[in-house]
Amino acid sequence: MSEQHVLFDPLLQDLSDRARDEVLAAFSAVQYAAHPVAEVQLAGLRDVTLRRHVARMLKLIGRTLVHVDGTHWTSGYADDIAATLTAQGWQPLSVVDRAVLVLVLIHSVAIPRSEGILTGDSWKSARPTTVDELRTTKISSEERRLALQRLRAAGLIQLSGDHSGGPSYIPGPQLQRLTPAARRRLQDQLILAAAPASPIAEAIRARNGTWTKPADDVTTTSSTTSTEQAADGRTGEGMA
């Protein structure tokens, strides 16, 4: 981190050596750890004053602290930076990867949430997506297999613990890097795509002030459009 020290030195120069080390350790942890970091493990996250220094360091590189489950921390792109990157067309995932990722999120998160099975504001799901649910006529089995490999390597999906019926997938830890606003936008779009006529979808449209279509007028095309919007640069915010 020697090059970054030049950028961060003005923020760290008034700290003691120990405090500086704690802040740098916390910064590295939230930036590079595969999973959110427990607050109790690092003084740079436990101590409010030191944590402010971590947040200021992240801000200098377009990132922000993200609180996960009330006890863990990670980092993600700040909302304004993510909006700028999306507007400029930045997208780290291919169309196929986005399609497979969105299918996993719809089956594991959006559908259970629209049915009231999954509650709370989290990507954790006990409802894995099976390979059968990922089969489509537009994505070949080889493309799907490679996309699943890439998404797992990126930490955007992971294998579920139950392999009794073959491999199945749930959201990965990198999605925890989404800020609350980004997470809410993506979850809303997924619900609109998965269950456009559900009460939750109606509530989302009412909250957003969008026109409500009759249930029998919700077409496959509109669901597909919502799915594409959900994947349009949003999931990339979660990548370190």
Side-chain angles (χ1 to χ4, degrees):
M1 293 177 59
S2 58
E3 292 182 0
Q4 292 183 336
H5 278 190
V6 176
L7 177 64
F8 298 141
D9 273 343
L11 295 178
L12 304 175
Q13 61 184 357
D14 294 332
L15 296 177
S16 66
D17 289 344
R18 180 174 180 178
R20 180 187 178 98
D21 289 343
E22 295 287 4
V23 168
L24 290 172
F27 172 87
S28 296
V30 297
Q31 267 291 86
Y32 304 116
H35 295 266
V37 183
E39 181 178 292
V40 69
Q41 293 179 344
L42 293 169
L45 296 176
R46 289 194 309 273
D47 184 276
V48 175
T49 300
L50 296 181
R51 193 166 65 233
R52 288 197 191 101
H53 281 80
V54 176
R56 289 169 185 149
M57 290 173 65
L58 289 168
K59 186 176 181 179
L60 288 177
I61 58 173
R63 309 281 287 181
T64 187
L65 274 174
V66 177
H67 209 182
V68 181
D69 295 336
T71 59
H72 291 69
W73 295 89
T74 186
S75 66
Y77 282 113
D79 291 321
D80 58 336
I81 300 300
T84 299
L85 291 173
T86 301
Q88 293 175 349
W90 180 76
Q91 176 51 257
L93 300 178
S94 69
V95 173
V96 172
D97 288 1
R98 276 181 282 165
V100 172
L101 174 60
V102 169
L103 284 172
V104 172
L105 296 181
I106 284 177
H107 286 288
S108 291
V109 178
I111 292 177
R113 181 166 281 128
S114 70
E115 296 173 344
I117 298 172
L118 182 65
T119 59
D121 186 18
S122 172
W123 292 109
K124 293 182 179 179
S125 174
R127 201 289 191 188
T129 302
T130 65
V131 173
D132 285 342
E133 289 170 326
L134 293 175
R135 290 196 173 99
T136 69
T137 57
K138 294 184 179 181
I139 302 176
S140 70
S141 58
E142 179 65 10
E143 286 180 319
R144 183 173 61 250
R145 182 183 68 81
L146 293 174
L148 288 169
Q149 287 182 353
R150 289 190 293 266
L151 292 171
R152 285 183 62 195
L156 291 168
I157 63 171
Q158 58 188 334
L159 284 169
S160 71
D162 181 10
H163 304 299
S164 58
S168 56
Y169 302 89
I170 57 176
Q174 286 294 307
L175 286 168
Q176 301 288 351
R177 291 188 182 274
L178 291 170
T179 65
R183 185 167 61 248
R184 186 165 51 250
R185 287 194 302 269
L186 178 52
Q187 288 174 342
D188 285 355
Q189 290 295 334
L190 289 170
I191 290 174
L192 291 172
S198 68
I200 294 180
E202 291 288 347
I204 291 171
R205 283 190 288 266
R207 186 179 70 230
N208 295 339
T210 54
W211 179 60
T212 302
K213 291 186 176 183
D216 58 359
D217 192 34
V218 178
T219 63
T220 303
T221 300
S222 66
S223 296
T224 302
T225 300
S226 295
T227 303
E228 290 171 349
Q229 290 173 344
D232 186 18
R234 306 294 185 201
T235 54
E237 292 172 16
M239 299 188 68

